[in-house]
Amino acid sequence: MVMFLFLVVALAVVVAAVTLAVVGGGENGPLPEAAPERLPDSLPPDRPVSRADVDRLRFPLVARGYRMADVDDALGRLGAELAERDARIADLESALAGARAAAAHASLEKPAPRQEDEQR
């Protein structure tokens, strides 16, 4: 019975010491706040994202996988750039189709050379 009481008291002392150390009762004060590990924005802000940028993209690991905010930011950026590129491609394809139609229309309206001009 004495041994059991000794173990309970020892356990209470250890728990109290750890609690005081974490909460700030020690001589050095509380534990310093750890800065959260954030993804340095590895996607370039001054130019469009390239395939190599996406291949180099790595997310910091946290307790349950990846930090959701970092992944959401990267996916949002990639989605916006893809939408911008799709719009640009559609504009260029539209301009190309218009130029081809204008060239075809101009070649149909061009008068055929006269036979007299060809014989000279």
Side-chain angles (χ1 to χ4, degrees):
M1 179 75 174
V2 175
M3 186 65 151
F4 177 72
L5 287 175
F6 174 74
L7 288 176
V8 169
V9 170
L11 180 64
V13 169
V14 168
V15 168
V18 170
T19 303
L20 286 176
V22 171
V23 173
E27 59 190 51
N28 295 334
L31 294 175
E33 284 291 321
E37 184 178 348
R38 294 284 302 166
L39 173 70
D41 192 13
S42 61
L43 297 176
D46 57 341
R47 63 176 172 82
V49 176
S50 69
R51 171 66 189 238
D53 295 327
V54 175
D55 288 341
R56 281 191 305 266
L57 185 62
R58 296 290 178 260
F59 297 104
L61 293 176
V62 293
R64 291 200 225 154
Y66 296 104
R67 189 176 302 277
M68 191 183 326
D70 291 340
V71 176
D72 289 345
D73 290 345
L75 289 176
R77 169 81 187 274
L78 292 172
E81 288 212 14
L82 287 174
E84 182 181 321
R85 288 181 187 179
D86 288 345
R88 177 81 172 135
I89 288 170
D91 289 345
L92 292 172
E93 287 176 345
S94 161
L96 179 62
R100 285 182 178 165
H105 184 65
S107 66
L108 291 177
E109 288 183 354
K110 186 177 182 182
R114 294 187 208 166
Q115 288 182 357
E116 298 171 357
D117 292 338
E118 289 180 3
Q119 291 176 353
R120 291 184 187 173

